[in-house]
Amino acid sequence: MAERGSSPRLLWQQPVSFTNPIHTDDYRLFGAVDSQGNLYVAGWAKNRVSGRSDNDWWLKRYDPDGNLAPGWDKAFDGNGGPDVVAAIVVDAADRVIVVGYGTNLVSASSGTDWWVKKLDASGNELLDRRFDASPSEAATSAVTDAAGNLYVAGYGKNVAGPATQDDVLVRKLTPEGKELWAVKLDASKGADERASDLALDPAGAHLYVAGFATNLVSTTSGKDLWLHRIASDASSMKSIVVDGSADYAAEAVAVAPSGEVYVGGTGTLGLGYTDIWIKKYDASLNELATGWNKVLGKARSDALKDLLVDPSTEALYAAGDLKDGVALNTLGDFWIQSFSPA
């Protein structure tokens, strides 16, 4: 597999800061781009709505030149407790959707609940939905289809049955926020399973959900890759499990226009404390191992954060963190690498 040789060029950069004191959980960033080239950035920060609102969502929009759009310095508080952004997507009509979770959003005792908010291109709120399926659940990723339907993946405590611990939970919502279906997955009663990322195939026929399950391959295999293909109407599903190391958790999944599926994550693979891995599968989840069982990293703790396929060239882009990637003692350095599809 060849690394592409193009040299990226920085067009602009924009610091994000608030007037409140900096806290450990401030300034987590997620981004999405609309059809006009505007960049939406979301995260959470301490007390953005009031002095006692705890961690609140924030949402900003920047134009293609990096200027903050008027009226787009927004903040949202779920119910006075800590709120976390997990994903941001823009649908085909340039409506921005923020997905995450917060505390007691459905009732005073509902625990951690999913939260979905949608705004139009002018910043008007179109939708605010909250979901409670268990005392503790978290949304982790989201994607939209051409019709504006929203798929959200995450996990919840005992949602698949009593004493199942953390189970994978996937929901499909209409553009108006109506739930069409919910799939709950438990691989091993008493063990934890989580969804980290999801992606749709080009036809919108299948949803791929990547994450991990604990000790599925053996009693000592630790976190094993757990990859699912779910039909967009939830009529069928296929799953595979892979054990690559003591911890082999998937963090990202992407689907090429050809239908081939890339999955990547972090594991203990021998290059350092933790290393980055990338695998490639066909649309039926058969592994395409030739040249694609990639292990990347240095001698310290490295982590994959995202995968993206260029729809025109089918090149794969991987991004993450490399400890001391630039020089010794630079600690967590940003890393991005591209690969040709062959």
Side-chain angles (χ1 to χ4, degrees):
M1 178 168 51
E3 179 181 350
R4 293 172 62 86
S6 59
S7 298
R9 181 168 58 92
L10 179 66
L11 297 179
W12 57 264
Q13 61 182 8
Q14 186 68 260
V16 177
S17 61
F18 305 111
T19 57
N20 292 331
I22 296 176
H23 293 264
T24 302
D25 290 334
D26 288 350
Y27 315 135
R28 306 294 174 88
L29 304 178
F30 299 84
V33 178
D34 67 14
S35 65
Q36 305 303 310
N38 298 302
L39 172 65
Y40 293 87
V41 184
W44 68 94
K46 202 78 169 180
N47 299 333
R48 287 283 288 130
V49 173
S50 73
R52 301 181 64 182
S53 57
D54 210 305
N55 289 340
D56 303 316
W57 285 8
W58 58 262
L59 174 64
K60 297 174 183 284
R61 188 179 84 183
Y62 296 91
D63 67 21
D65 295 319
N67 302 304
L68 180 65
W72 276 97
D73 186 6
K74 299 180 179 296
F76 306 99
D77 172 40
N79 192 28
D83 306 312
V84 175
V85 170
I88 179 172
V89 294
V90 176
D91 68 13
D94 280 345
R95 295 168 296 207
V96 59
I97 305 165
V98 184
V99 173
Y101 53 94
T103 303
N104 297 332
L105 300 183
V106 175
S107 72
S109 58
S110 57
T112 306
D113 307 314
W114 286 18
W115 191 9
V116 177
K117 188 177 285 289
K118 180 190 293 187
L119 297 88
D120 64 20
S122 299
N124 302 305
E125 185 172 302
L126 302 175
L127 178 70
D128 188 298
R129 286 294 314 272
R130 295 134 189 252
F131 299 90
D132 174 39
S134 75
S136 177
E137 57 183 303
T140 57
S141 52
V143 66
T144 61
D145 63 17
N149 298 304
L150 177 69
Y151 300 84
V152 184
Y155 58 91
K157 185 71 71 177
N158 300 332
V159 296
T164 55
Q165 300 302 316
D166 284 341
D167 305 315
V168 170
L169 178 59
V170 185
R171 287 186 170 105
K172 181 179 181 179
L173 309 179
T174 68
E176 297 74 32
K178 178 184 177 181
E179 184 178 292
L180 293 177
W181 51 256
V183 172
K184 304 169 184 180
L185 303 171
D186 173 49
S188 175
K189 189 172 183 179
D192 288 332
E193 299 89 27
R194 297 192 177 186
S196 302
D197 197 16
L198 76 170
L200 271 173
D201 67 14
H206 292 96
L207 180 73
Y208 293 87
V209 182
F212 71 84
T214 306
N215 295 336
L216 285 191
V217 175
S218 72
T219 57
T220 59
S221 58
K223 294 178 181 178
D224 303 317
L225 163 63
W226 202 22
L227 178 62
H228 312 277
R229 187 190 68 183
I230 304 173
S232 59
D233 61 359
S235 61
S236 64
M237 184 180 69
K238 180 179 181 179
S239 302
I240 62 170
V241 179
V242 178
D243 173 35
S245 72
D247 284 305
Y248 207 60
E251 302 292 345
V253 60
V255 184
S258 63
E260 294 175 329
V261 181
Y262 298 92
V263 184
T266 304
T268 308
L269 301 171
L271 295 182
Y273 299 129
T274 59
D275 308 307
I276 295 165
W277 57 266
I278 303 173
K279 288 179 173 289
K280 185 177 183 180
Y281 296 86
D282 66 18
S284 298
L285 300 187
N286 300 303
E287 185 174 358
L288 304 175
T290 303
W292 266 106
N293 193 4
K294 300 291 293 183
V295 179
L296 309 165
K298 293 205 169 186
R300 299 192 66 180
S301 300
D302 308 313
L304 181 75
K305 298 299 184 181
D306 206 0
L307 294 173
L308 176 68
V309 177
D310 185 331
S312 60
T313 65
E314 297 210 12
L316 176 71
Y317 291 83
D321 302 327
L322 293 182
K323 289 293 178 68
D324 295 345
V326 175
L328 186 63
N329 296 325
T330 54
L331 298 179
D333 301 317
F334 175 70
W335 162 83
I336 185 169
Q337 189 167 339
S338 63
F339 305 92
S340 67

